[in-house]
Amino acid sequence: MPIPATRQMKLSMFLTGDGNYHLAGWRLPHEDRERGHGGCDMQQWVEFGRIMERGKLDMLFIADGGISGVSDLETLGLTSRIDRLDPVTILSALAMTTRNLGLVSTISTTYNEPFNVARTVASLDHVSLGRAGWNIVTTASKDEAQNFSRTDHLPHGERYARAEEFVDVVRGLWDSYEEDAFPRDKASGVYMDAAKVRFLNHRGRYFSVRGPLSVPRPPQGHPILVQAGSSEPGINLSARVADVMFTSQSALPEAKAFYDKAKSRCDRFGRSPGDIKIMPGVLLFIGRTQEEAMEKYERLQSLIPIKLGLQRLSEGLGGVDLSGYALDAPMPDIAANAVRVSSVESYVSIARREGLTLRQTAMRAAAAKHHLTIIGSPAQIADELESWFVGGAADGFNVLASDVPGGLDDFVDLVVPELQRRGLFRRDYEGTTLRDNLGLSRPLLKEALASA
Amino acid sequence: MPIPATRQMKLSMFLTGDGNYHLAGWRLPHEDRERGHGGCDMQQWVEFGRIMERGKLDMLFIADGGISGVSDLETLGLTSRIDRLDPVTILSALAMTTRNLGLVSTISTTYNEPFNVARTVASLDHVSLGRAGWNIVTTASKDEAQNFSRTDHLPHGERYARAEEFVDVVRGLWDSYEEDAFPRDKASGVYMDAAKVRFLNHRGRYFSVRGPLSVPRPPQGHPILVQAGSSEPGINLSARVADVMFTSQSALPEAKAFYDKAKSRCDRFGRSPGDIKIMPGVLLFIGRTQEEAMEKYERLQSLIPIKLGLQRLSEGLGGVDLSGYALDAPMPDIAANAVRVSSVESYVSIARREGLTLRQTAMRAAAAKHHLTIIGSPAQIADELESWFVGGAADGFNVLASDVPGGLDDFVDLVVPELQRRGLFRRDYEGTTLRDNLGLSRPLLKEALASA
């Protein structure tokens, strides 16, 4: 694996549902079709994978989580958000149609069993020959409890306490076998060497799990762990276990402060800052010129009804009721009313900084939540990404395509070559596993802890 | 879809772990390799899929369940049983490398949430364009509880009560949307029609699930439901909901009695006998001549150590301790000692009928459990399958390959052509979905039950 001469960006592509990040992305014309493709169209995902490998991107990350907004189905029906296959099925299928792309699935620790998650992600790693990742989420949507026989959603702190233990069980199960535990020797008849099996025998507050897993150690040792929660418990979980941290940041100074905070937190858990790649989300509206990019942005924004924008902002503020506020007055100070979600501060600070009205804040929330948003030419986009990367705010980016496949094609065909020319991004994959391409070492197997 | 002139068999291929059904199947030479491939070798599964489609088989069924036998790892290590990927990852990947083959995954109702299972199987149906099936199991291995934070395994009756409710929740979630609920109309901006969404609002003894699912109605309406438990609760569950029933039968008269019993049970649940395809398992040792087949059988049997045979028989008898019995005395009557499992009666009756010793019964159990086992030439195998099929004991078969890929190739290249010559099996696929090929109609959406 050749070592790049200079530090280079890592690039993840963030897709969910039907792939369009912008709420109106699905409405753009594509091949003269009057109807959108839909998230359940696997052939579309195959096309996305092909485009991403053309651009040498590190990984496809499929976001997932509870279905929010079902209390207002009409508004939800203006989006493609409810049309979402199980990411593991899509990614397993893509393992057959791609060769280098990392395949990262979101799976909730609140509504699954660690044994099943350990097995599924290990299986994806085997099927893809070392390209799997798991984005650890605790499911923020409180409605989701009603799909899982719970009367109440777990409070934030308890969700994270459960997640910490859940992740430890999963990592422990991935270490169920030593690397050479499966001789599969036809002559002696020894398929598995009993001395190289490790029972986990975990007994904790939330879980009791004996092990071993029914799957040999994954090709990457541990598939890549991703974490995106930026709350204090989220930062701690990332600093302790994550290989990649996604974060939602809208301005460079705050992004750099967050980067420094998360990196320095690693020390508390005996890890070094280089062990974790911090990748802010960035929503791109790409044109050959800035004017073309702005036209695209305005066209997409004009296709979002204001009621959808308000619903999106309300959701981002933890479900606060916005119906009593004047649309064209300055964005009200509603932080005190909202339940505790990490988005609140960002929305309010964006509105204050830019002097936005409620309507404008809602439309901004509908466009990008509070991610860094760049509307520009390939050179302008590369400038901004470079300034964050060189300025110590990012190790790479989690790219949100405004629309698919158009925005994805534009990123790969216009922006990636510009980053390559500047020496900021690879011209070819460094290795065969996601870990190789991210430049992360393979976790060694710890000393055996216990046996049955 | 052309209708075949005469009734034809349905054929499923039963694979698990590394694909070898016979415990020593992995030890046969293959391409001069000294080491076996292993169940985590996806390229091997791709090859299996290719062979099965060459034979126009209806479906690949991947068996799964808890890991039993971990209390004696050395014996377990003589088998390939612990090397088992999550079947959904394998089948999703195979959806990309096959075009007609049905893809049936085993998933337990005891250690999963119905919302997750409904979503995963619906997703597999979308990814494969209508080729998914779900083999409903309640997990017989009592050790499995220890991997899921339970102190005790649920008793048999309660597992089935939970399974009944679980399946109803899954089917209800598959009906979350009317067929035309997703106009995805770019001009009007209506992606989903809110009036065509159905909340399940299920509140039962085991589950409370609101819905809707986050996935449009599956291409097959409902993916194929398979059930293999032959206990009374198992027969009831099959008769009420299953499209396909697997069963383990060793002799024609009992198989016919079972077939009649299960078919006639359909009436109790308002279904007709034609709604369910009964497919006994059949383990094949195939040779060009009977002599060649017998050589293969004996070679494979000689590769199984007796301690593995005894462990297998003990497991089939519900974990009864066999160490106190003489190996070469007649098979003891141990039905009274065993916990209630449906296998007990069959093992004891086989041993009585054929006058087997404990050693012989153990080696038989190691070879085939109590499935119909045929050691013979293609014509002999076709004769036996035909006699069961014509004799009213089977609508088709769930074929266990003694070894892979050898036994699979032999079935497709030697036995299938013989069945085709006799007009007993298709020469090409009838349709594009698993439902089409099984000759089962697509379930209509029931009247809306409730709304939010």
Side-chain angles (χ1 to χ4, degrees):
Chain A
M1 190 172 76
I3 296 164
T6 54
R7 179 171 166 259
Q8 290 192 315
M9 290 179 185
K10 303 303 170 189
L11 293 174
S12 164
M13 183 61 60
F14 174 127
L15 297 181
T16 188
D18 67 338
N20 293 284
Y21 186 78
H22 191 279
L23 287 176
W26 70 271
R27 296 181 66 180
L28 292 188
H30 177 54
E31 293 173 358
D32 298 322
R33 286 171 64 123
E34 289 171 13
R35 288 163 50 98
H37 279 267
C40 56
D41 178 352
M42 187 64 213
Q43 280 315 306
Q44 189 180 232
W45 289 96
V46 171
E47 184 188 357
F48 299 161
R50 214 175 280 133
I51 298 170
M52 285 179 248
E53 290 205 323
R54 195 169 79 226
K56 313 297 180 195
L57 305 192
D58 289 85
M59 60 202 196
L60 161 61
F61 154 64
I62 302 187
D64 197 40
I67 307 159
S68 53
V70 290
S71 57
D72 179 4
L73 281 179
E74 258 179 66
T75 305
L76 185 63
L78 302 173
T79 79
S80 56
R81 291 293 181 269
I82 206 157
D83 185 4
R84 297 195 300 201
L85 300 189
D86 175 353
V88 169
T89 60
I90 296 173
L91 295 171
S92 302
L94 286 181
M96 297 292 98
T97 67
T98 58
R99 299 187 64 173
N100 296 94
L101 189 67
L103 304 165
V104 179
S105 181
T106 300
I107 308 178
S108 172
T109 55
T110 303
Y111 299 115
N112 285 286
E113 290 280 348
F115 191 90
N116 290 337
V117 172
R119 187 177 182 213
T120 295
V121 178
S123 298
L124 181 60
D125 207 44
H126 280 288
V127 165
S128 64
L129 299 176
R131 297 188 277 132
W134 169 32
N135 177 43
I136 305 156
V137 299
T138 70
T139 305
S141 161
K142 64 186 190 321
D143 287 350
E144 200 63 4
Q146 297 177 52
N147 285 326
F148 292 93
S149 307
R150 318 280 172 89
T151 47
D152 292 303
H153 194 47
L154 285 179
H156 186 270
E158 197 161 346
R159 291 208 308 276
Y160 272 90
R162 182 182 155 103
E164 293 273 1
E165 188 181 331
F166 193 113
V167 171
D168 287 343
V169 171
V170 168
R171 295 196 301 177
L173 287 169
W174 285 338
D175 290 346
S176 291
Y177 304 94
E178 294 180 26
E179 307 286 359
D180 55 351
F182 290 84
R184 301 190 186 96
D185 181 51
K186 294 183 179 191
S188 69
V190 175
Y191 189 94
M192 178 188 76
D193 182 345
K196 293 178 174 170
V197 181
R198 297 163 173 209
F199 286 82
L200 182 63
N201 290 327
H202 172 89
R203 287 185 180 277
R205 181 169 158 210
Y206 296 97
F207 306 107
S208 297
V209 179
R210 183 201 56 192
L213 202 62
S214 51
V215 177
R217 195 159 195 256
Q220 294 185 98
H222 293 180
I224 293 297
L225 294 177
V226 181
Q227 205 286 133
S230 294
S231 64
E232 277 298 309
I235 294 172
N236 284 336
L237 178 57
S238 278
R240 190 170 74 84
V241 307
D243 301 298
V244 171
M245 186 176 189
F246 291 152
T247 176
S248 179
Q249 302 290 333
S250 57
L252 178 52
E254 289 87 346
K256 181 166 170 35
F258 180 85
Y259 181 95
D260 291 341
K261 180 178 177 181
K263 288 269 180 176
S264 63
R265 188 69 55 88
C266 287
D267 189 49
R268 185 186 293 178
F269 302 101
R271 299 177 77 212
S272 78
D275 291 344
I276 180 168
K277 304 288 176 192
I278 297 185
M279 299 165 72
V282 54
L283 173 61
L284 301 179
F285 297 86
I286 307 166
R288 282 166 201 281
T289 61
Q290 190 185 10
E291 189 178 34
E292 201 181 285
M294 188 55 79
E295 269 169 26
K296 181 170 195 177
Y297 174 73
E298 283 171 356
R299 180 170 181 202
L300 280 164
Q301 287 293 90
S302 74
L303 291 170
I304 301 181
I306 181 63
K307 75 170 176 176
L308 181 52
L310 287 169
Q311 186 269 332
R312 208 68 199 287
L313 178 60
S314 164
E315 182 189 321
L317 295 173
V320 71
D321 181 8
L322 294 168
S323 59
Y325 298 97
L327 272 175
D328 295 306
M331 174 66 191
D333 181 1
I334 48 137
N337 300 339
V339 298
R340 194 189 163 291
V341 290
S342 52
S343 323
V344 173
E345 203 181 352
S346 311
Y347 278 122
V348 174
S349 74
I350 294 170
R352 291 254 173 73
R353 195 170 62 229
E354 305 189 21
L356 303 181
T357 63
L358 171 58
R359 182 194 302 274
Q360 288 166 327
T361 311
M363 290 308 288
R364 184 73 67 85
K369 293 193 172 177
H370 41 88
H371 287 290
L372 169 63
T373 302
I374 315 177
I375 304 166
S377 66
Q380 290 173 315
I381 290 169
D383 285 348
E384 183 81 2
L385 298 184
E386 185 170 3
S387 75
W388 281 48
F389 180 65
V390 174
D395 296 313
F397 298 91
N398 192 25
V399 178
L400 312 166
S402 55
D403 60 297
V404 286
L408 199 53
D409 270 328
D410 288 346
F411 181 69
V412 160
D413 296 335
L414 303 176
V415 179
V416 165
E418 180 63 31
L419 295 172
Q420 288 169 331
R421 270 191 293 276
R422 299 180 186 200
L424 292 168
F425 189 63
R426 71 167 65 86
R427 286 179 188 275
D428 206 352
Y429 288 104
E430 291 87 3
T432 61
T433 71
L434 176 54
R435 222 166 246 291
D436 287 345
N437 290 319
L438 291 175
L440 296 168
S441 60
R442 191 170 185 279
L444 296 174
L445 203 60
K446 293 204 190 82
E447 291 299 304
L449 300 170
S451 59
Chain B
M1 189 173 76
I3 297 165
T6 54
R7 179 170 167 258
Q8 290 193 316
M9 290 180 185
K10 304 303 170 188
L11 292 174
S12 164
M13 183 60 61
F14 174 127
L15 297 181
T16 188
D18 68 338
N20 293 284
Y21 186 78
H22 191 277
L23 286 176
W26 69 272
R27 296 182 66 180
L28 291 188
H30 176 55
E31 292 173 359
D32 297 322
R33 287 171 64 125
E34 289 172 12
R35 289 161 51 97
H37 279 268
C40 57
D41 178 352
M42 188 63 212
Q43 281 314 307
Q44 189 180 231
W45 289 95
V46 170
E47 185 188 356
F48 298 161
R50 213 175 281 133
I51 298 170
M52 286 180 247
E53 289 205 325
R54 194 171 78 227
K56 313 296 180 194
L57 305 192
D58 289 85
M59 61 204 196
L60 161 60
F61 154 63
I62 302 187
D64 197 40
I67 307 159
S68 53
V70 291
S71 57
D72 178 5
L73 282 178
E74 259 180 64
T75 305
L76 186 63
L78 301 174
T79 79
S80 56
R81 291 294 181 268
I82 206 158
D83 185 5
R84 297 195 300 201
L85 301 188
D86 174 353
V88 170
T89 60
I90 297 173
L91 296 171
S92 302
L94 285 181
M96 296 293 97
T97 67
T98 57
R99 299 187 66 174
N100 296 95
L101 189 68
L103 304 165
V104 180
S105 181
T106 300
I107 309 177
S108 171
T109 55
T110 302
Y111 299 114
N112 285 285
E113 290 280 348
F115 190 90
N116 290 337
V117 172
R119 188 177 181 212
T120 295
V121 179
S123 298
L124 180 60
D125 207 45
H126 280 288
V127 165
S128 65
L129 299 176
R131 297 188 278 132
W134 169 32
N135 177 42
I136 305 155
V137 298
T138 70
T139 305
S141 161
K142 64 186 192 319
D143 287 350
E144 200 63 5
Q146 297 177 51
N147 285 326
F148 293 93
S149 306
R150 319 280 172 89
T151 46
D152 291 304
H153 194 47
L154 286 179
H156 187 269
E158 197 160 346
R159 290 207 309 277
Y160 272 90
R162 182 182 155 103
E164 293 273 0
E165 187 180 332
F166 193 114
V167 171
D168 286 343
V169 171
V170 168
R171 296 197 300 177
L173 288 169
W174 285 337
D175 290 345
S176 290
Y177 303 94
E178 295 179 27
E179 306 287 358
D180 55 352
F182 290 84
R184 301 190 185 96
D185 182 52
K186 294 183 179 190
S188 68
V190 175
Y191 189 93
M192 179 190 75
D193 182 344
K196 293 178 175 169
V197 181
R198 297 162 172 209
F199 286 83
L200 183 64
N201 290 328
H202 173 87
R203 287 183 180 279
R205 181 169 158 208
Y206 296 97
F207 306 107
S208 297
V209 179
R210 183 200 57 192
L213 202 61
S214 52
V215 177
R217 195 159 195 255
Q220 294 184 97
H222 294 180
I224 293 298
L225 293 178
V226 181
Q227 207 285 132
S230 295
S231 63
E232 277 297 309
I235 294 172
N236 284 335
L237 178 57
S238 277
R240 191 170 75 82
V241 307
D243 301 298
V244 171
M245 185 175 191
F246 292 152
T247 177
S248 179
Q249 302 290 334
S250 56
L252 179 51
E254 289 86 346
K256 179 162 170 41
F258 180 84
Y259 181 96
D260 291 340
K261 180 179 177 180
K263 288 269 180 175
S264 63
R265 189 69 55 89
C266 288
D267 189 51
R268 186 186 293 178
F269 302 100
R271 298 176 77 211
S272 77
D275 292 344
I276 181 168
K277 303 289 176 194
I278 297 184
M279 298 164 72
V282 54
L283 172 61
L284 301 179
F285 297 85
I286 307 167
R288 282 169 202 280
T289 62
Q290 191 186 9
E291 190 178 32
E292 200 180 284
M294 187 56 78
E295 269 168 27
K296 180 170 195 178
Y297 174 73
E298 283 172 356
R299 180 171 182 199
L300 280 164
Q301 287 293 90
S302 74
L303 291 169
I304 301 181
I306 182 65
K307 73 170 176 177
L308 182 51
L310 286 168
Q311 185 271 331
R312 207 68 198 288
L313 179 60
S314 165
E315 182 190 320
L317 294 174
V320 71
D321 181 8
L322 293 168
S323 59
Y325 299 96
L327 274 174
D328 296 306
M331 174 68 191
D333 181 1
I334 47 136
N337 300 338
V339 300
R340 193 189 164 292
V341 289
S342 52
S343 322
V344 173
E345 204 182 351
S346 310
Y347 277 123
V348 174
S349 74
I350 296 171
R352 292 251 173 75
R353 195 171 60 230
E354 305 189 21
L356 303 181
T357 63
L358 171 58
R359 183 194 301 274
Q360 289 166 326
T361 310
M363 290 307 290
R364 183 74 66 84
K369 293 192 173 176
H370 41 87
H371 288 290
L372 169 63
T373 302
I374 314 176
I375 304 165
S377 67
Q380 289 172 316
I381 290 168
D383 285 348
E384 183 82 2
L385 298 184
E386 184 169 3
S387 75
W388 281 48
F389 179 66
V390 173
D395 297 313
F397 298 91
N398 192 24
V399 178
L400 311 167
S402 55
D403 60 297
V404 287
L408 198 53
D409 270 328
D410 288 346
F411 181 69
V412 161
D413 296 335
L414 302 177
V415 180
V416 164
E418 180 63 30
L419 295 172
Q420 287 169 332
R421 270 190 293 276
R422 299 181 186 198
L424 292 168
F425 189 61
R426 70 167 66 84
R427 286 179 187 274
D428 206 353
Y429 288 105
E430 292 86 4
T432 61
T433 71
L434 176 54
R435 223 167 244 292
D436 287 345
N437 290 318
L438 290 175
L440 296 168
S441 60
R442 191 171 185 279
L444 296 175
L445 202 61
K446 293 206 189 80
E447 291 299 304
L449 299 170
S451 58

